Amino acid sequence: MFISIFSAVESGVIYALMALGVYLSFRILDFPDLTVDGSFVTGAAVGAISIVNGVPPILATVFAALAGFVAGSITGILNTKGKINPLLSGILMMIALYSINLRIMGRPNLALLNEPTLFNQIDGFWGGLGIDKTLNGLVESMGVDSLPGTWAVLIIMTIITIIIKLVTDYFLKTEVGLALRATGDNEKMIRSFSANTNNLTIVGLGISNGLVALSGSLVAQYGGFADVNMGIGMIVIGLASVIIGEALVGTRTIAITTLAVILGAIAYRIVVTLALRADFLETGDMKLITALLVIIALIAPKVVSARKEAVRKKRKRTLLASQRKEEHSA
Amino acid sequence: MLNISSVSITFNEDTQDEKKALQDIDLTLDKGDFVTVIGSNGAGKSTLMNVISGSLKPDIGIVEIDNKNVTSIPEFKRSAFIGRVFQDPMAGTAPSMTIEENLAMAYARNKRRTLRTGVNKKRKLLFIEFLETLHLGLENRLTAKVGLLSGGERQALSLLMATFTEPNILLLDEHTAALDPSRAELITNLTGEVVDKFQLTTLMVTHNMQQALDLGNRLIMMDKGQIILEVSGKEKQELTIEKLLHEFQRIRGEQMANDRAILG
């Protein structure tokens, strides 16, 4: 049990970068960008093929993010310069990327089992620190018997994800970031303040898909393979993370919302892991579970707040009625 | 400051719905001129605004700002020197962003947007100073989201955002029409104050004749895509609504007589 939750959190932190990307397009730019299904694989493919060809993993990961940036920018160009509707621009790019990803890898599946990756490269250095021993000792003393092999992935990924979150928070408060947010909020207004909304949309989608591809390449290195079909339904997983996080943590400020998205990505992985432990569910049911989760996360907050409001009104009315009664009797 | 010469624009040209929105318009605004524009629906007032702001490109003719031909400069670039307030109070501000963030975006109008924070301590003090001139208490709500403000408050903020960077031209497009009478009066007064304070060259479209008479040093009346009446200076000060209506009917009557002569 501990082990499966542990690996759920571990992959949740890696997928959180993808969720942050989806948050940028879906919420900040108000652009439902389906490029994600393709650009996630592009990241994995570029990262994997670079590593197989001897590029150092850190550089391969940077290449992957850049490839995602290019893919997202093209979606932005289709939308702004080509005047194609946002949904359709994303779908066209997603389909085009499927073939491009196959070309990049040269075949549908690429294994990284005996290759260096970001994660196994840090193993040697990590082992010397003795953090695993300390943390495992701590967990063992709490009565858990099956222990994770290494905490390196979780801790390193948490640090990377937090750094990217903080950079995103800062960026969205800069002059360019404010204009980017206004592009999604009131495009006509920000154009009347001399901002080039076309370029902002293109750059915004570029950054968004850059994060998605970065996440894709890390997932490939973590799992030990890149597969041309690994991106199917990725946009829905990203949306699930954003929506679950917002429902759980709230959206009061940008910093809180980006934290919400990261926690949402982790919560999503935990829920799926727990659901798959049920005997009647199979691995193939994951997409169905995801869809149901998104539906629940979208409907539940509305039902809850309507219910709260009804209770509040009822209480107020009974209070008024009893006050009136008292006045009568007095 | 603003020079429009022989501007014409036709919508749906060569179809049954052809509409000559502007016909050979000439208009010059000197620095500090405040021109009010009146006219019935479809007279071409909004089209004129859109041609100046750059959201429409004229078929023929030239638009010059500060002796610079801007006719083919796109809207977003031109807005570096044009401030604009729209009729819809929701149109001029970003609702899910805070008051200070909205002001910071307006502040960046005529500068290059950088990767430095939009709201800093120095700017905050500046924003507070400007917000105080509105007398709405918004200076105490810098971090409130603009979506929480009332229509009147949002329009006052829009007016401030459009003007405090002192643009070369200020365009007001029926900016009080969607407000209740008391709020409309507030915004009208603020408009007078702010234009006076910054000596802004202003063009204001309005359906409210009284407002058109109260504000500004010049008045033009438009009909069917043409400027049919121009009044300025002392003559404008002595103008009343009755005189204006009378004048309108006189000109329209003459035109109708001309039309009849041609048709006959």
Side-chain angles (χ1 to χ4, degrees):
Chain A
M1 182 70 184
F2 177 78
I3 283 291
S4 53
I5 296 286
F6 181 86
S7 55
V9 174
E10 208 172 54
S11 56
V13 179
I14 302 178
Y15 280 98
L17 294 174
M18 183 272 295
L20 275 177
V22 171
Y23 165 72
L24 282 182
S25 58
F26 190 71
R27 284 287 192 245
I28 296 292
L29 281 173
D30 196 18
F31 192 115
D33 177 23
L34 299 192
T35 314
V36 170
D37 276 24
S39 60
F40 186 81
V41 186
T42 306
V46 170
I49 200 76
S50 304
I51 289 175
V52 168
N53 283 303
V55 177
I58 182 107
L59 204 59
T61 310
V62 173
F63 287 168
L66 288 177
F69 182 91
V70 173
S73 308
I74 296 174
T75 305
I77 292 169
L78 290 179
N79 171 240
T80 55
K81 311 277 182 199
K83 309 251 183 279
I84 301 173
N85 140 314
L87 217 47
L88 191 54
S89 315
I91 292 174
L92 289 171
M93 201 55 207
M94 175 183 88
I95 285 296
L97 282 176
Y98 186 87
S99 302
I100 294 171
N101 294 335
L102 265 176
R103 284 279 180 176
I104 293 173
M105 294 198 289
R107 60 189 119 136
N109 194 300
L110 210 57
L112 289 173
L113 284 178
N114 298 314
E115 305 287 345
T117 67
L118 267 188
F119 301 116
N120 61 27
Q121 268 196 336
I122 50 175
D123 266 356
F125 158 76
W126 184 263
L129 293 179
I131 297 178
D132 281 347
K133 229 175 161 184
T134 323
L135 286 173
N136 274 342
L138 201 69
V139 175
E140 207 167 12
S141 69
M142 290 191 291
V144 178
D145 43 10
S146 58
L147 298 168
T150 175
W151 290 70
V153 176
L154 179 62
I155 291 177
I156 300 285
M157 274 316 301
T158 306
I159 293 170
I160 294 177
T161 305
I162 288 176
I163 290 173
I164 290 179
K165 172 205 147 43
L166 293 175
V167 171
T168 308
D169 291 348
Y170 175 79
F171 172 67
L172 291 175
K173 287 198 162 87
T174 62
E175 290 167 341
V176 175
L178 290 179
L180 187 79
R181 283 160 64 196
T183 302
D185 203 21
N186 187 347
E187 192 176 344
K188 187 177 172 186
M189 168 261 179
I190 194 65
R191 248 203 323 262
S192 82
F193 289 110
S194 77
N196 186 340
T197 51
N198 283 356
N199 287 355
L200 285 165
T201 304
I202 295 168
V203 171
L205 290 178
I207 297 175
S208 158
N209 283 287
L211 285 174
V212 171
L214 173 63
S215 173
S217 83
L218 291 172
V219 167
Q221 294 179 57
Y222 173 68
F225 70 96
D227 186 285
V228 76
N229 289 319
M230 72 196 284
I232 295 177
M234 203 47 69
I235 180 67
V236 186
I237 295 176
L239 278 181
S241 309
V242 172
I243 293 165
I244 293 171
E246 287 179 345
L248 290 178
V249 183
T251 60
R252 219 162 42 78
T253 64
I254 291 281
I256 291 176
T257 317
T258 49
L259 180 67
V261 170
I262 293 170
L263 295 179
I266 297 170
Y268 166 79
R269 286 288 150 192
I270 293 176
V271 172
V272 169
T273 306
L274 292 181
L276 287 180
R277 284 176 76 88
D279 289 335
F280 58 95
L281 289 172
E282 298 166 16
T283 325
D285 296 332
M286 213 176 90
K287 308 275 187 228
L288 179 64
I289 298 170
T290 308
L292 287 174
L293 262 179
V294 174
I295 293 169
I296 293 169
L298 282 173
I299 296 175
K302 283 180 215 158
V303 175
V304 169
S305 70
R307 179 100 203 106
K308 266 190 195 155
E309 184 66 12
V311 170
R312 192 188 65 80
K313 281 209 165 128
K314 198 177 170 195
R315 195 175 298 150
K316 194 174 170 190
R317 245 174 272 134
T318 34
L319 193 73
L320 274 176
S322 66
Q323 274 175 352
R324 220 168 278 153
K325 229 182 226 170
E326 275 172 34
E327 276 168 25
H328 268 286
S329 57
Chain B
M1 183 56 78
L2 173 67
N3 195 12
I4 299 168
S5 43
S6 355
V7 162
S8 295
I9 185 165
T10 307
F11 297 132
N12 305 315
E13 197 162 14
D14 295 331
T15 70
Q16 280 187 327
D17 302 318
E18 178 172 293
K19 182 164 169 38
K20 288 181 173 152
L22 291 178
Q23 301 184 47
D24 205 22
I25 295 278
D26 288 303
L27 182 68
T28 300
L29 267 68
D30 293 326
K31 189 163 170 44
D33 264 356
F34 186 166
V35 180
T36 56
V37 186
I38 53 173
S40 47
N41 287 331
K45 307 181 302 288
S46 292
T47 311
L48 179 65
M49 291 295 220
N50 288 331
V51 165
I52 298 170
S53 74
S55 46
L56 279 178
K57 198 174 180 302
D59 296 338
I60 28 175
I62 292 173
V63 180
E64 286 174 321
I65 295 175
D66 235 354
N67 294 322
K68 200 173 125 197
N69 187 344
V70 297
T71 320
S72 47
I73 293 181
E75 181 189 7
F76 78 88
K77 272 191 193 157
R78 229 189 274 192
S79 56
F81 25 84
I82 298 178
R84 203 170 179 196
V85 185
F86 304 96
Q87 176 177 358
D88 178 3
M90 308 299 148
T93 45
S96 70
M97 299 170 73
T98 65
I99 293 181
E100 57 183 14
E101 285 171 340
N102 269 278
L103 283 162
M105 289 188 283
Y107 187 78
R109 174 214 298 286
N110 46 14
K111 299 164 193 70
R112 209 186 143 73
R113 288 187 164 81
T114 67
L115 287 178
R116 275 192 291 257
T117 8
V119 183
N120 57 32
K121 265 189 188 154
K122 209 174 121 201
R123 285 187 194 172
K124 234 179 212 180
L125 291 175
L126 187 77
F127 296 160
I128 289 174
E129 200 179 299
F130 279 115
L131 284 168
E132 276 168 352
T133 62
L134 299 179
H135 307 297
L136 291 171
L138 295 182
E139 62 274 13
N140 306 318
R141 298 168 69 189
L142 279 182
T143 54
K145 288 191 176 157
V146 168
L148 300 171
L149 305 185
S150 71
E153 287 169 332
R154 278 184 79 166
Q155 199 65 328
L157 183 62
S158 306
L159 182 66
L160 178 66
M161 285 165 59
T163 54
F164 81 115
T165 50
E166 304 185 29
N168 302 45
I169 311 278
L170 175 63
L171 300 178
L172 305 170
D173 197 351
E174 294 185 47
H175 69 308
T176 61
L179 302 174
D180 67 65
S182 70
R183 291 287 133 186
E185 198 191 328
L186 172 88
I187 300 294
T188 306
N189 293 340
L190 281 174
T191 306
E193 278 171 31
V194 81
V195 170
D196 201 45
K197 180 171 158 196
F198 298 123
Q199 286 298 306
L200 298 173
T201 310
T202 307
L203 200 66
M204 179 180 85
V205 168
T206 179
H207 269 298
N208 181 337
M209 292 228 186
Q210 193 57 51
Q211 193 185 32
L213 295 176
D214 292 344
L215 289 172
N217 62 332
R218 287 172 63 189
L219 178 147
I220 62 176
M221 187 191 276
M222 292 187 69
D223 189 50
K224 293 180 184 160
Q226 289 172 313
I227 295 175
I228 55 168
L229 179 72
E230 277 201 72
V231 187
S232 63
K234 198 160 180 296
E235 201 185 346
K236 175 167 185 294
Q237 282 169 23
E238 288 165 359
L239 209 58
T240 61
I241 292 183
E242 287 78 43
K243 273 193 202 164
L244 210 53
L245 283 174
H246 184 253
E247 197 68 14
F248 180 64
Q249 272 161 357
R250 190 179 64 79
I251 297 167
R252 280 291 287 266
E254 265 174 24
Q255 273 185 349
M256 267 150 72
N258 284 344
D259 288 350
R260 216 169 278 142
I262 292 164
L263 289 171

